Amino acid sequence: MIQIKNLSKTYRLAGFHQRPVQALNDVSMDIRQGEIVAVLGLNGAGKTTLIKILLGLVRPTSGMASVSGKSVTDPASRNCIGYLPEIFRVAPHYTGNAILRFLGSSSGLSGARLQERMNYCLGLVDLKEAASQKVSSYSKGMVVRLGIAQAILHEPKILILDEPTDGLDPLGKVMIRTLLGDLAKDGITIIINSHLLSEVEYVAHRVAILHHGKLIRWGALSEIIPLDSKYVFEFPEPVSLPGPWECRQTGGAYCCEVTTTEGLQGMLEYLRRNDIHSYSMKQVRATLEDVFLQYIKEP
């Protein structure tokens, strides 16, 4: 659905002493139909440049990118894309209905078909009752949901969403997660640019980590996040432990971390055999945030 091959972009800044800035450096990836891909990176990593290239707003310096078989330099490639910018701004004196009617007509929809799509999309984001209200009365989360409605209004094959859950309350986040999953099942390809890694972890099939313009990790969540858990034992007082285990004071408690299933079994057996009691034992898995921070850590 989306092909990116050896994509690079260098910005040449004004001024004799200004050095060129390489925003993207030889990035390659293929994104399949019905896949949810999260693009992650620090500010300045190249995420925005990549999105702008896919939207046809910026031309690459070298390499290629295509959307649904069409080069991103072809204006026709944008017809199949729905886009939610990070800051979705609309005229506050318009109603939600008026905004969607205008944007829908700009996408070639009209008449009964436009009204049908408006009703459907407003229902998906739970804004039907507020559709006749002015946007100035909307909360930040409602504006984000209106932005998602306009992005899917024209039935795009590809959605590019910049911070789609920012500003949403917990129920709103769950609703959008469910919606994105349903859209992907219907064959829509979704690219998410987000700093909310905990939200990304719920929905993404694959993750691209950019750092200083380079693609430093690209793969499925199951490949990137270690399956092994660590187990943390908490004791009321210092405990002498054998072998590789060490009891350390953390806050007001004494803790020991065990990193393998075999180690867990050995620890439980040692504690039972020596009649040592712990306050608690909890299983802790690595998160996408843990993995992300490891990849972008400077040497």
Side-chain angles (χ1 to χ4, degrees):
M1 183 58 69
I2 298 175
Q3 287 188 317
I4 299 169
K5 187 173 182 181
N6 305 122
L7 196 65
S8 294
K9 175 62 182 178
T10 301
Y11 291 102
R12 303 191 181 279
L13 305 179
F16 181 75
H17 297 291
Q18 294 284 354
R19 298 180 60 185
V21 174
Q22 187 157 27
L24 289 177
N25 186 355
D26 198 31
V27 172
S28 297
M29 65 178 88
D30 286 337
I31 301 175
R32 301 184 287 261
Q33 181 178 2
E35 189 170 38
I36 302 177
V37 169
V39 180
L40 309 178
L42 300 175
N43 292 334
K47 306 186 303 297
T48 299
T49 296
L50 177 61
I51 296 304
K52 285 182 176 180
I53 289 175
L54 294 179
L55 292 172
L57 301 176
V58 169
R59 285 182 173 265
T61 303
S62 61
M64 61 78 66
S66 64
V67 172
S68 196
K70 294 182 175 66
S71 169
V72 292
T73 58
D74 181 352
S77 68
R78 301 164 211 170
N79 295 336
C80 65
I81 298 177
Y83 176 54
L84 172 67
E86 180 178 3
I87 301 175
F88 177 63
R89 286 199 178 103
V90 292
H93 58 280
Y94 282 104
T95 65
N97 274 328
I99 294 296
L100 292 190
R101 189 170 289 110
F102 170 74
L103 294 175
S105 62
S106 300
S107 299
L109 297 172
S110 61
R113 181 56 179 162
L114 173 55
Q115 190 61 53
E116 178 186 340
R117 287 298 300 168
M118 286 171 55
N119 292 338
Y120 177 73
C121 294
L122 287 166
L124 286 180
V125 297
D126 195 26
L127 280 180
K128 268 191 174 182
E129 293 184 4
S132 59
Q133 298 174 18
K134 291 183 177 180
V135 175
S136 58
S137 70
Y138 284 15
S139 66
K140 182 179 179 181
M142 292 171 72
V143 172
V144 172
R145 285 187 276 142
L146 181 65
I148 293 174
Q150 65 81 29
I152 61 178
L153 189 62
H154 58 297
E155 298 184 271
K157 296 179 181 178
I158 296 167
L159 272 179
I160 298 177
L161 307 176
D162 205 342
E163 301 291 354
T165 59
D166 188 28
L168 297 179
D169 60 28
L171 286 178
K173 289 179 180 179
V174 171
M175 180 181 67
I176 297 306
R177 284 181 218 148
T178 303
L179 173 59
L180 296 182
D182 290 342
L183 291 172
K185 288 176 184 176
D186 289 339
I188 296 177
T189 302
I190 302 171
I191 298 177
I192 300 174
N193 183 1
S194 180
H195 291 96
L196 301 176
L197 302 192
S198 58
E199 287 299 310
V200 166
E201 199 168 345
Y202 280 113
V203 297
H205 299 131
R206 287 198 286 174
V207 170
I209 300 178
L210 293 173
H211 193 47
H212 296 316
K214 294 183 178 181
L215 181 64
I216 60 173
R217 192 67 169 93
W218 166 238
L221 278 177
S222 58
E223 299 169 349
I224 291 176
I225 301 177
L227 295 178
D228 289 340
S229 302
K230 67 179 179 181
Y231 305 88
V232 180
F233 288 82
E234 186 177 302
F235 302 96
E237 58 187 19
V239 175
S240 178
L241 298 171
W245 302 321
E246 184 178 358
C247 185
R248 297 181 178 180
Q249 186 171 7
T250 304
Y254 298 88
C255 299
C256 176
E257 291 185 2
V258 179
T259 56
T260 66
T261 303
E262 293 76 12
L264 172 64
Q265 293 171 347
M267 171 66 82
L268 291 173
E269 175 61 24
Y270 178 82
L271 297 179
R272 183 193 62 78
R273 192 169 58 246
N274 291 276
D275 197 26
I276 298 174
H277 301 281
S278 65
Y279 270 151
S280 66
M281 187 278 287
K282 60 183 178 181
Q283 183 180 15
V284 181
R285 281 198 62 187
T287 65
L288 180 57
E289 184 174 353
D290 296 329
V291 174
F292 172 76
L293 291 174
Q294 285 295 320
Y295 275 110
I296 58 90
K297 188 180 295 184
E298 297 290 350

